[in-house]
């Protein structure tokens, strides 16, 4: 369904970066949304991210009918409560695939996620942080060690994705489980 498509890209680092570059305040007007870059729906559907999206987005019993209607009865889902490492892994996979669908290369994604690998001690220093982009993603998980941050692990997943022949191969790696956390 279209809602899964919109949920996937609108929650990604790449889309967030594009929107932040255009928004000056706290208001996201319709004309700004009309001018934001979107992934072609056909490309998104070819990547078949439905299972990942359902596991991330359908995280309460309220979504059980939707899950079952899509024929996902035997698959583990977010309704049963995803462990934090699995939720992080799925989010990194989704962000890496969406970056690839946008046509980014590793240099582009590194630019978007710049300053995310500083040690947490430095990010706790307000004087150090003053020189960082106030809209930057360095703020995501800044209380964690760099190797545990969503941003850094997304870069690792994207780098790994480039080693595969296709997005499908990346998603099917490790006996169909997809990319795994290092």
């Amino acid at each position: 369904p279209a809602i899964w498509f919109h949920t996937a890209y609108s929650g990604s680092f790449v889309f967030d970066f594009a929107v932040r570059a255009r928004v000056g305040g706290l208001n996201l007007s319709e004309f700004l949304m009309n001018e934001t870059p979107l992934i072609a729906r056909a490309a998104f559907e070819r990547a078949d991210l439905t299972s990942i999206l359902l596991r991330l987005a359908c995280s309460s019993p309220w979504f059980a009918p939707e899950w079952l209607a899509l024929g996902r009865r035997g698959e583990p889902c977010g309704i049963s409560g995803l462990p934090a490492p699995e939720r992080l892994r799925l989010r990194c996979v989704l962000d890496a695939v969406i970056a690839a669908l946008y046509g980014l290369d590793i240099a582009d994604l590194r630019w978007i996620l710049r300053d995310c690998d500083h040690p947490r001690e430095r990010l706790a220093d307000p004087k150090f942080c003053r020189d960082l982009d106030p809209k930057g993603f360095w703020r995501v998980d800044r209380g964690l060690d760099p190797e545990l941050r969503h941003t850094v692990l997304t870069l690792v997943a994207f780098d790994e994705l480039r080693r595969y022949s296709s997005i499908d191969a990346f998603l099917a790696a490790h006996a169909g489980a997809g990319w795994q956390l290092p």
Side-chain angles (χ1 to χ4, degrees):
I3 190 69
W4 304 121
F5 169 70
H6 296 297
T7 301
Y9 75 76
S10 65
S12 71
F13 286 128
V14 177
F15 184 80
D16 193 332
F17 176 80
V19 170
R20 286 175 193 236
R22 302 256 316 132
V23 175
L26 299 175
N27 186 9
L28 188 59
S29 302
E30 184 178 351
F31 81 91
L32 287 173
M33 289 303 293
N34 290 336
E35 296 175 357
T36 56
L38 301 178
I39 301 166
R41 185 168 177 185
F44 179 84
E45 288 173 350
R46 275 193 308 276
D48 193 21
L49 299 169
T50 306
S51 180
I52 292 173
L53 291 170
L54 287 173
R55 292 181 70 201
L56 287 170
C58 296
S59 57
S60 79
W62 188 76
F63 291 103
E66 179 77 17
W67 186 263
L68 296 173
L70 291 168
R72 305 289 181 168
R73 184 176 300 275
E75 293 181 39
C77 64
I79 296 169
S80 58
L82 288 176
E86 178 63 2
R87 178 170 283 285
L88 175 61
R89 182 186 77 81
L90 292 173
R91 290 178 67 205
C92 292
V93 166
L94 188 59
D95 273 315
V97 170
I98 288 173
L101 291 175
Y102 269 109
L104 301 184
D105 62 25
I106 192 67
D108 297 327
L109 192 57
R110 285 189 199 283
W111 172 253
I112 290 170
L113 299 177
R114 67 190 176 280
D115 295 323
C116 292
D117 57 352
H118 291 295
R120 66 179 163 168
E121 295 78 22
R122 292 194 78 188
L123 293 178
D125 179 8
K127 186 176 178 183
F128 176 77
C129 293
R130 253 180 281 171
D131 294 331
L132 301 177
D133 179 1
K135 293 183 179 181
F137 294 107
W138 57 270
R139 298 170 298 139
V140 175
D141 296 333
R142 72 190 222 185
L144 299 175
D145 289 328
E147 62 272 9
L148 301 175
R149 293 182 191 143
H150 178 189
T151 50
V152 174
L153 289 169
T154 295
L155 286 169
V156 172
F158 186 77
D159 194 44
E160 185 72 20
L161 169 60
R162 297 179 323 132
R163 299 172 206 261
Y164 285 88
S165 59
S166 67
I167 291 172
D168 291 335
F170 174 72
L171 294 172
H174 303 285
W179 176 79
Q180 299 296 303
L181 293 172

